[in-house]
Amino acid sequence: MTAKPYKRLFYTCLLALPLTLWGLLAPHQVQAQEVLNIYSGRHYPADKILYERFEAQTGIKIRTLEGKTSVLLERLKLERENSPADLFITVDAGNLWRAAEADLFQPVSSSVLTSRIPEKYRNPEGLWFGFATRNRIVFYNPARVRVPPTSWQDLADSRFKGKICVRSSSNIYNLSLLASFVELWGEAKATEWAQAIRDNMARDPSGGDTDQIRAVAAGVCDLSIGNHYYYARLLASDKPEDRAVTEVVKPLWLGESDMGVHANISGAGVLRSAKNKRAAIRYLEFLATEDSQLVFSEANNEYPVVLGVAVAPVLERLGVHKTSEINVSVYGENQPIAQRLYDSVGWP
Ligand code: FE
């Protein structure tokens, strides 16, 4: 009499067991959190803001490995298809070109990206896209340079002999700069320019762009070559000694009246190894939104690439300038030539 209900209970439990097990395991299978693995050669607070906002908006978890671009590139070349990375982010079109040359990127087709990012700031095959621009310009001390140079060619004039500070030629920013001149003027004129700047140096290259700006303020040299955001950082610094540098040193947007100011990019591409391609493209599209474009400007002093997006107040002080129409891909294509030319004139 009592055996039957127990039996029924036994069979009910037996049937329920797989369902209970499914219930325990299912959350990991059905609702597994989507992830996005990023290798980044950038390490700015702006990037952290962007990661956090993307995670909050999409629920996709971002995992990052940050390091020197050259080190990450070597790592990606070793890992190839086995890499856990989905996306590679870095600065300078020359670096993105190196990654594309090593066949690390896969083409991405996104109407969001092609409609928002100007053609000159992205790879023609969709291998990488630029999200913010950085300009390589000149800084000078107006108290000591009464007639400032009017063009990049003019900076090579012998009246600036012993007056210029600039970093080494192996630096990617300098390689991209000369690569653009090779494109605009041809190899012979680009070589003459490099030779003349070498002759005009106040000292052998040492330190980064900020060191050159400080050297101008300290009177070691009268002019320097550097990226605009290093100056913007000093301008917006809460240290009085940094702001004092910007009282003495002023920016000179060479190229504005002729070929356009030299513009380079921060950019990213989806890797061939990507297991989370959908999330990777979603992140690229997220970087092209107006809100993200503002973050590049406000938190890192870079100019937005998307037309019509406002710039940070510190960049308003520096002004918005007419930039070169060259496709930044050229900086990579001409990079080996640029390095050879620098070596030929003995620019350390
Ligand atoms: Fe930099």
Side-chain angles (χ1 to χ4, degrees):
M1 228 168 105
T2 52
K4 258 188 174 175
Y6 280 125
K7 221 174 188 176
R8 199 176 296 145
L9 187 66
F10 173 76
Y11 284 116
T12 309
C13 286
L14 206 65
L15 278 170
L17 191 65
L19 288 172
T20 311
L21 279 174
W22 172 251
L24 285 171
L25 296 172
H28 306 286
Q29 291 171 355
V30 175
Q31 295 164 15
Q33 191 180 22
E34 213 178 331
V35 294
L36 173 61
N37 295 312
I38 298 176
Y39 280 10
S40 176
R42 281 169 57 99
H43 29 77
Y44 303 119
D47 298 54
K48 299 262 182 314
I49 297 171
L50 292 166
Y51 297 151
E52 283 165 17
R53 281 195 189 173
F54 181 76
E55 287 181 330
Q57 281 176 25
T58 64
I60 297 170
K61 171 80 189 145
I62 290 184
R63 292 191 292 230
T64 59
L65 177 70
E66 292 185 347
K68 275 184 74 172
T69 289
S70 56
V71 175
L72 292 176
L73 277 175
E74 285 315 304
R75 183 170 173 149
L76 284 166
K77 283 188 219 169
L78 289 172
E79 292 176 342
R80 290 280 158 193
E81 296 295 319
N82 298 323
S83 177
D86 301 306
L87 199 62
F88 179 53
I89 302 177
T90 189
V91 297
D92 205 292
N95 283 326
L96 292 161
W97 175 82
R98 285 177 183 174
E101 273 294 286
D103 199 26
L104 296 172
F105 290 138
Q106 59 174 299
V108 165
S109 137
S110 156
S111 57
V112 173
L113 295 174
T114 49
S115 65
R116 293 184 71 78
I117 301 170
E119 210 174 340
K120 63 180 179 176
Y121 296 139
R122 50 185 162 86
N123 173 270
E125 279 88 49
L127 295 175
W128 47 261
F129 300 84
F131 294 98
T133 64
R134 44 234 344 268
N135 301 117
R136 197 142 186 80
I137 60 172
V138 163
F139 302 99
Y140 77 116
N141 178 349
R144 290 169 57 138
V145 183
R146 284 169 42 222
V147 184
T150 54
S151 65
W152 283 105
Q153 291 96 324
D154 196 22
L155 183 70
D157 192 276
S158 59
R159 76 180 193 276
F160 300 117
K161 197 167 184 62
K163 295 187 189 320
I164 298 174
C165 279
V166 58
R167 69 199 294 178
S168 76
S169 66
S170 60
N171 168 258
I172 193 82
Y173 307 151
N174 279 342
L175 284 169
S176 289
L177 183 69
L178 189 58
S180 74
F181 296 161
V182 169
E183 190 65 20
L184 290 162
W185 309 333
E187 262 189 65
K189 283 204 170 123
T191 312
E192 274 173 35
W193 181 85
Q195 180 68 66
I197 299 295
R198 173 70 187 111
D199 295 343
N200 283 350
M201 282 183 198
R203 59 173 186 190
D204 276 350
S206 95
D209 284 355
T210 306
D211 298 306
Q212 318 309 320
I213 298 171
R214 290 190 196 282
V216 175
V220 175
C221 34
D222 293 350
L223 308 104
S224 77
I225 298 173
N227 284 359
H228 82 274
Y229 54 87
Y230 293 108
Y231 186 83
R233 248 179 239 167
L234 295 171
L235 205 56
S237 172
D238 45 20
K239 292 183 190 157
E241 62 270 31
D242 286 345
R243 292 197 306 276
V245 168
T246 64
E247 293 294 317
V248 179
V249 184
K250 301 294 169 191
L252 206 52
W253 295 78
L254 291 188
E256 190 161 27
S257 59
D258 42 58
M259 61 203 198
V261 173
H262 178 82
N264 210 321
I265 54 165
S266 285
V270 177
L271 294 159
R272 286 205 181 278
S273 55
K275 289 154 195 85
N276 305 293
K277 186 178 174 183
R278 198 184 73 104
I281 295 173
R282 209 165 158 192
Y283 189 69
L284 295 184
E285 291 175 345
F286 163 82
L287 292 181
T289 61
E290 183 161 355
D291 284 350
S292 299
Q293 288 286 294
L294 272 170
V295 172
F296 281 109
S297 183
E298 284 171 355
N300 205 38
N301 303 313
E302 291 175 284
Y303 286 92
V305 291
V306 175
L307 289 173
V309 176
V311 298
V314 67
L315 294 184
E316 268 171 28
R317 287 171 69 189
L318 289 179
V320 176
H321 302 269
K322 188 197 96 178
T323 53
S324 160
E325 287 308 317
I326 297 179
N327 187 303
V328 295
S329 298
V330 164
Y331 304 166
E333 287 154 26
N334 291 344
Q335 190 181 112
I337 303 172
Q339 187 65 74
R340 177 165 51 76
L341 300 192
Y342 277 135
D343 291 345
S344 75
V345 304
W347 181 323

